[in-house]
Amino acid sequence: MEEYTWPARRPDVPGLSPDEVWAATIAALPVGASVAGEVIGRQPFGVFIRIDGLPGAMGLAEIIAMPEGTGLPVLGARIRGEVLDHVGHNRQVRVRLHEAGTALGQSPL
């Protein structure tokens, strides 16, 4: 497995258009909301997250929003964090990871 990977295409949500999925994501995850999910992609700038309970939602935790001194969580790691922002042009939820112990299995930066 390569160290850095892109996430697979987001799953379609039956009966909803991409616009409806994005609107539901924003409504369910306001800024400051707690989120949990699984790391599904890694890049040098951060990790992509499949957010629990929202099959069409994609989260992104950038390195600058990770606790100081932690490494990038590995693929498959379970994480917890807080919603920082919504990025409409690529329909991503920006996430700040919580302090140490957020992710099981981390690699050094």
Side-chain angles (χ1 to χ4, degrees), residues 38-59:
E38 177 186 357
V39 174
I40 59 171
R42 297 178 78 228
Q43 287 295 309
F45 54 81
V47 294
F48 293 95
I49 305 158
R50 179 180 300 121
I51 298 172
D52 292 348
L54 294 168
M58 174 79 67

mmCIF file of all heavy atoms in Angstrom, residues 38-59:
data_model
loop_
_atom_site.group_PDB
_atom_site.id
_atom_site.type_symbol
_atom_site.label_atom_id
_atom_site.label_comp_id
_atom_site.label_asym_id
_atom_site.label_seq_id
_atom_site.Cartn_x
_atom_site.Cartn_y
_atom_site.Cartn_z
ATOM 1 N N GLU A 38 -13.925 7.565 9.773
ATOM 2 C CA GLU A 38 -12.807 6.708 9.399
ATOM 3 C C GLU A 38 -11.946 7.395 8.355
ATOM 4 O O GLU A 38 -12.469 8.001 7.416
ATOM 5 C CB GLU A 38 -13.357 5.407 8.819
ATOM 6 C CG GLU A 38 -12.294 4.469 8.324
ATOM 7 C CD GLU A 38 -12.883 3.243 7.632
ATOM 8 O OE1 GLU A 38 -14.114 3.088 7.590
ATOM 9 O OE2 GLU A 38 -12.083 2.450 7.110
ATOM 10 N N VAL A 39 -10.638 7.294 8.509
ATOM 11 C CA VAL A 39 -9.707 7.847 7.520
ATOM 12 C C VAL A 39 -9.771 6.975 6.263
ATOM 13 O O VAL A 39 -9.548 5.765 6.325
ATOM 14 C CB VAL A 39 -8.269 7.894 8.079
ATOM 15 C CG1 VAL A 39 -7.288 8.334 6.996
ATOM 16 C CG2 VAL A 39 -8.195 8.827 9.279
ATOM 17 N N ILE A 40 -10.111 7.609 5.137
ATOM 18 C CA ILE A 40 -10.254 6.868 3.881
ATOM 19 C C ILE A 40 -9.271 7.320 2.810
ATOM 20 O O ILE A 40 -9.253 6.779 1.719
ATOM 21 C CB ILE A 40 -11.695 6.944 3.344
ATOM 22 C CG1 ILE A 40 -12.116 8.397 3.108
ATOM 23 C CG2 ILE A 40 -12.653 6.231 4.283
ATOM 24 C CD1 ILE A 40 -13.434 8.560 2.382
ATOM 25 N N GLY A 41 -8.465 8.316 3.107
ATOM 26 C CA GLY A 41 -7.448 8.791 2.166
ATOM 27 C C GLY A 41 -6.425 9.634 2.903
ATOM 28 O O GLY A 41 -6.751 10.279 3.900
ATOM 29 N N ARG A 42 -5.176 9.596 2.418
ATOM 30 C CA ARG A 42 -4.091 10.356 3.051
ATOM 31 C C ARG A 42 -3.312 11.096 1.977
ATOM 32 O O ARG A 42 -3.021 10.543 0.923
ATOM 33 C CB ARG A 42 -3.129 9.417 3.777
ATOM 34 C CG ARG A 42 -3.740 8.656 4.901
ATOM 35 C CD ARG A 42 -2.738 7.700 5.535
ATOM 36 N NE ARG A 42 -1.845 8.446 6.403
ATOM 37 C CZ ARG A 42 -0.518 8.329 6.402
ATOM 38 N NH1 ARG A 42 0.101 7.513 5.600
ATOM 39 N NH2 ARG A 42 0.201 9.041 7.233
ATOM 40 N N GLN A 43 -2.938 12.313 2.275
ATOM 41 C CA GLN A 43 -2.075 13.115 1.427
ATOM 42 C C GLN A 43 -1.116 13.865 2.350
ATOM 43 O O GLN A 43 -1.386 13.990 3.545
ATOM 44 C CB GLN A 43 -2.888 14.092 0.577
ATOM 45 C CG GLN A 43 -3.651 13.445 -0.552
ATOM 46 C CD GLN A 43 -2.724 12.841 -1.574
ATOM 47 O OE1 GLN A 43 -1.807 13.481 -2.071
ATOM 48 N NE2 GLN A 43 -2.969 11.577 -1.914
ATOM 49 N N PRO A 44 -0.022 14.391 1.822
ATOM 50 C CA PRO A 44 0.924 15.104 2.687
ATOM 51 C C PRO A 44 0.281 16.275 3.451
ATOM 52 O O PRO A 44 0.741 16.640 4.522
ATOM 53 C CB PRO A 44 1.989 15.611 1.718
ATOM 54 C CG PRO A 44 1.918 14.695 0.549
ATOM 55 C CD PRO A 44 0.466 14.290 0.441
ATOM 56 N N PHE A 45 -0.821 16.823 2.922
ATOM 57 C CA PHE A 45 -1.455 17.979 3.557
ATOM 58 C C PHE A 45 -2.511 17.604 4.583
ATOM 59 O O PHE A 45 -3.009 18.454 5.313
ATOM 60 C CB PHE A 45 -2.074 18.904 2.497
ATOM 61 C CG PHE A 45 -3.036 18.212 1.565
ATOM 62 C CD1 PHE A 45 -4.343 17.961 1.936
ATOM 63 C CD2 PHE A 45 -2.609 17.814 0.307
ATOM 64 C CE1 PHE A 45 -5.217 17.330 1.080
ATOM 65 C CE2 PHE A 45 -3.472 17.185 -0.564
ATOM 66 C CZ PHE A 45 -4.791 16.940 -0.178
ATOM 67 N N GLY A 46 -2.927 16.320 4.662
ATOM 68 C CA GLY A 46 -3.943 15.923 5.630
ATOM 69 C C GLY A 46 -4.611 14.620 5.275
ATOM 70 O O GLY A 46 -4.135 13.873 4.414
ATOM 71 N N VAL A 47 -5.745 14.342 5.950
ATOM 72 C CA VAL A 47 -6.468 13.092 5.728
ATOM 73 C C VAL A 47 -7.924 13.368 5.360
ATOM 74 O O VAL A 47 -8.530 14.329 5.826
ATOM 75 C CB VAL A 47 -6.416 12.168 6.970
ATOM 76 C CG1 VAL A 47 -4.995 11.693 7.226
ATOM 77 C CG2 VAL A 47 -6.992 12.816 8.206
ATOM 78 N N PHE A 48 -8.467 12.479 4.518
ATOM 79 C CA PHE A 48 -9.869 12.515 4.142
ATOM 80 C C PHE A 48 -10.625 11.560 5.060
ATOM 81 O O PHE A 48 -10.125 10.488 5.398
ATOM 82 C CB PHE A 48 -10.053 12.095 2.689
ATOM 83 C CG PHE A 48 -9.453 13.075 1.722
ATOM 84 C CD1 PHE A 48 -8.172 12.882 1.233
ATOM 85 C CD2 PHE A 48 -10.157 14.197 1.320
ATOM 86 C CE1 PHE A 48 -7.604 13.777 0.345
ATOM 87 C CE2 PHE A 48 -9.596 15.106 0.438
ATOM 88 C CZ PHE A 48 -8.315 14.900 -0.055
ATOM 89 N N ILE A 49 -11.839 11.947 5.438
ATOM 90 C CA ILE A 49 -12.604 11.211 6.436
ATOM 91 C C ILE A 49 -13.992 10.884 5.907
ATOM 92 O O ILE A 49 -14.680 11.770 5.379
ATOM 93 C CB ILE A 49 -12.764 12.060 7.718
ATOM 94 C CG1 ILE A 49 -11.392 12.504 8.236
ATOM 95 C CG2 ILE A 49 -13.564 11.332 8.780
ATOM 96 C CD1 ILE A 49 -11.448 13.728 9.124
ATOM 97 N N ARG A 50 -14.410 9.624 6.078
ATOM 98 C CA ARG A 50 -15.807 9.233 5.846
ATOM 99 C C ARG A 50 -16.506 9.477 7.176
ATOM 100 O O ARG A 50 -16.210 8.828 8.174
ATOM 101 C CB ARG A 50 -15.932 7.777 5.444
ATOM 102 C CG ARG A 50 -17.388 7.353 5.214
ATOM 103 C CD ARG A 50 -17.546 5.894 4.813
ATOM 104 N NE ARG A 50 -16.832 5.637 3.577
ATOM 105 C CZ ARG A 50 -15.856 4.731 3.455
ATOM 106 N NH1 ARG A 50 -15.471 4.001 4.471
ATOM 107 N NH2 ARG A 50 -15.258 4.552 2.291
ATOM 108 N N ILE A 51 -17.434 10.422 7.185
ATOM 109 C CA ILE A 51 -18.079 10.851 8.422
ATOM 110 C C ILE A 51 -19.215 9.895 8.780
ATOM 111 O O ILE A 51 -20.074 9.594 7.951
ATOM 112 C CB ILE A 51 -18.575 12.302 8.295
ATOM 113 C CG1 ILE A 51 -17.371 13.231 8.056
ATOM 114 C CG2 ILE A 51 -19.361 12.723 9.531
ATOM 115 C CD1 ILE A 51 -17.728 14.657 7.737
ATOM 116 N N ASP A 52 -19.198 9.427 10.018
ATOM 117 C CA ASP A 52 -20.222 8.504 10.507
ATOM 118 C C ASP A 52 -21.618 9.094 10.357
ATOM 119 O O ASP A 52 -21.843 10.269 10.667
ATOM 120 C CB ASP A 52 -19.998 8.175 11.992
ATOM 121 C CG ASP A 52 -18.741 7.360 12.246
ATOM 122 O OD1 ASP A 52 -18.144 6.850 11.278
ATOM 123 O OD2 ASP A 52 -18.367 7.236 13.427
ATOM 124 N N GLY A 53 -22.557 8.260 9.898
ATOM 125 C CA GLY A 53 -23.961 8.645 9.841
ATOM 126 C C GLY A 53 -24.362 9.467 8.642
ATOM 127 O O GLY A 53 -25.539 9.751 8.463
ATOM 128 N N LEU A 54 -23.403 9.880 7.822
ATOM 129 C CA LEU A 54 -23.707 10.689 6.639
ATOM 130 C C LEU A 54 -22.977 10.082 5.438
ATOM 131 O O LEU A 54 -21.849 10.474 5.127
ATOM 132 C CB LEU A 54 -23.269 12.145 6.846
ATOM 133 C CG LEU A 54 -24.033 12.899 7.920
ATOM 134 C CD1 LEU A 54 -23.339 14.206 8.256
ATOM 135 C CD2 LEU A 54 -25.467 13.153 7.483
ATOM 136 N N PRO A 55 -23.594 9.126 4.744
ATOM 137 C CA PRO A 55 -22.892 8.376 3.703
ATOM 138 C C PRO A 55 -22.336 9.219 2.559
ATOM 139 O O PRO A 55 -21.356 8.837 1.944
ATOM 140 C CB PRO A 55 -23.934 7.380 3.200
ATOM 141 C CG PRO A 55 -25.243 7.893 3.672
ATOM 142 C CD PRO A 55 -24.989 8.724 4.886
ATOM 143 N N GLY A 56 -22.905 10.371 2.285
ATOM 144 C CA GLY A 56 -22.403 11.193 1.196
ATOM 145 C C GLY A 56 -21.436 12.275 1.630
ATOM 146 O O GLY A 56 -20.949 13.053 0.815
ATOM 147 N N ALA A 57 -21.125 12.350 2.931
ATOM 148 C CA ALA A 57 -20.286 13.430 3.445
ATOM 149 C C ALA A 57 -18.810 13.058 3.417
ATOM 150 O O ALA A 57 -18.438 11.927 3.711
ATOM 151 C CB ALA A 57 -20.693 13.771 4.881
ATOM 152 N N MET A 58 -17.979 14.028 3.046
ATOM 153 C CA MET A 58 -16.522 13.847 3.017
ATOM 154 C C MET A 58 -15.904 14.908 3.913
ATOM 155 O O MET A 58 -16.176 16.101 3.764
ATOM 156 C CB MET A 58 -16.005 14.030 1.596
ATOM 157 C CG MET A 58 -14.492 14.017 1.467
ATOM 158 S SD MET A 58 -13.780 12.379 1.505
ATOM 159 C CE MET A 58 -14.404 11.722 -0.030
ATOM 160 N N GLY A 59 -15.072 14.467 4.856
ATOM 161 C CA GLY A 59 -14.366 15.390 5.725
ATOM 162 C C GLY A 59 -12.907 15.489 5.317
ATOM 163 O O GLY A 59 -12.361 14.582 4.688
#
